């Protein structure tokens, strides 16, 4: 299994088994359903998904779905996986310069040619938001070693698609393509997500993806 690519043995939606398991956990985290989380986490363990990958996925949940839902997910994961064995990269505040450098790189990779427009929009919302997104989100959390960018973005897409945030959804549909996912892999993620949505929400989700898919923005 390569660190950056997806492994052979894909699902009909184009996702390999470990990535599919992560996407299903990301979606369940956004719903806060503990029974569903437990079921999907147990399935991930059975599929030999590295525990570190799940840990990193849950850490980025603080960004995607907020503290309350992520803390719920972590509590369930600790029941399933037991105590932390490898905490990964420490979060030390003196690393601000490193977070800034890699945050700029990661954020630019996800947003592609719209990156500079994103920065302008963030500053217009509030000056504090730009460093929160670029440094704290992308530099401190989303650039941590332990889970590759492609899988991170697919899981972010799953979480955002489960929530009602259409502007962010549009950006992360593009972000999945920008970070190397195929259209078929995005199809696979949305097929997982729509199970937890109303028919109306699912229809809007697929309509937005059809627009991005055809235009490849």
């Amino acid at each position: 299994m390569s660190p950056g690519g997806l492994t052979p043995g894909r699902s009909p939606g184009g996702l390999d088994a470990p990535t599919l398991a992560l996407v299903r956990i990301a979606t369940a985290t956004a719903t806060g359903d503990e029974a569903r989380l437990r079921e999907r986490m147990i399935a991930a363990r059975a599929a030999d998904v590295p525990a570190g990958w799940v840990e990193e996925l849950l850490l980025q949940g603080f960004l995607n779905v907020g503290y309350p839902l992520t803390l719920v997910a972590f509590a369930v994961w600790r029941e399933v996986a037991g105590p932390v064995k490898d905490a990964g990269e420490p979060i030390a505040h003196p690393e601000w310069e490193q977070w800034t450098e890699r945050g700029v790189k990661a954020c630019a990779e996800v947003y592609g040619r719209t990156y500079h427009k994103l920065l302008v929009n963030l500053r217009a919302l509030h000056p504090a938001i730009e460093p929160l997104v670029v440094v704290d989100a992308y530099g401190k959390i989303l650039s941590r070693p332990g889970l590759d960018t492609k899988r991170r973005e697919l899981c972010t897409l799953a979480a955002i698609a489960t929530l009602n945030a259409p502007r962010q959804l549009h950006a992360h549909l593009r972000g999945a393509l920008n970070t190397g996912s195929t259209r078929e892999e995005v199809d696979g993620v949305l097929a997982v997500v729509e199970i937890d949505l109303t028919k109306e929400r699912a229809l809007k989700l697929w309509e937005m993806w059809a627009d991005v898919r055809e235009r490849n923005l």
Side-chain angles (χ1 to χ4, degrees):
M1 188 181 303
S2 64
L6 300 184
T7 60
R10 298 175 184 277
S11 70
L15 301 173
D16 63 20
T19 304
L20 178 60
L22 290 174
V23 165
R24 295 181 78 238
I25 293 172
T27 303
T29 300
T31 69
D33 186 321
E34 293 188 35
R36 187 174 295 159
L37 275 165
R38 187 172 291 103
E39 174 191 347
R40 295 182 180 185
M41 288 172 173
I42 290 172
R45 297 282 282 176
D48 293 325
V49 177
W53 289 11
V54 179
E55 303 277 355
E56 291 299 324
L57 164 62
L58 296 183
L59 285 173
Q60 73 183 52
F62 286 115
L63 309 173
N64 296 331
V65 302
Y67 275 75
L69 291 174
T70 301
L71 291 173
V72 167
F74 258 116
V76 176
W77 175 241
R78 291 276 71 90
E79 293 174 8
V80 171
V84 180
K85 295 181 176 63
D86 181 2
E89 179 181 271
I91 293 180
H93 287 278
E95 298 301 322
W96 183 269
E97 184 176 342
Q98 176 188 343
W99 294 340
T100 301
E101 292 176 359
R102 70 186 193 182
V104 168
K105 180 180 178 181
C107 195
E109 182 179 3
V110 169
Y111 285 89
R113 65 187 183 187
T114 65
Y115 171 63
H116 293 291
K117 180 180 179 181
L118 168 72
L119 298 184
V120 171
N121 290 341
L122 293 178
R123 292 169 197 148
L125 292 173
H126 192 284
I129 295 179
E130 181 186 346
L132 284 173
V133 170
V134 176
V135 182
D136 288 275
Y138 280 91
K140 185 190 295 186
I141 303 297
L142 295 174
S143 294
R144 286 170 59 88
L147 185 60
D148 58 274
T149 301
K150 180 175 178 177
R151 287 189 175 91
R152 282 192 184 278
E153 185 61 14
L154 286 173
C155 290
T156 293
L157 172 61
I160 298 298
T162 304
L163 303 172
N164 189 19
R167 291 186 181 182
Q168 286 69 37
L169 173 59
H170 196 273
H172 286 288
L173 286 167
R174 296 199 312 267
L177 298 177
N178 289 341
T179 51
S181 291
T182 65
R183 289 166 173 75
E184 290 71 29
E185 287 165 347
V186 176
D187 286 342
V189 171
L190 301 190
V192 172
V193 171
E194 74 170 335
I195 296 171
D196 297 324
L197 302 181
T198 63
K199 290 183 178 179
E200 181 181 359
R201 287 272 311 281
L203 178 60
K204 290 181 179 179
L205 173 64
W206 285 106
E207 286 177 345
M208 183 179 291
W209 170 227
D211 178 59
V212 174
R213 199 181 201 276
E214 293 304 316
R215 292 200 287 163
N216 192 16
L217 297 176

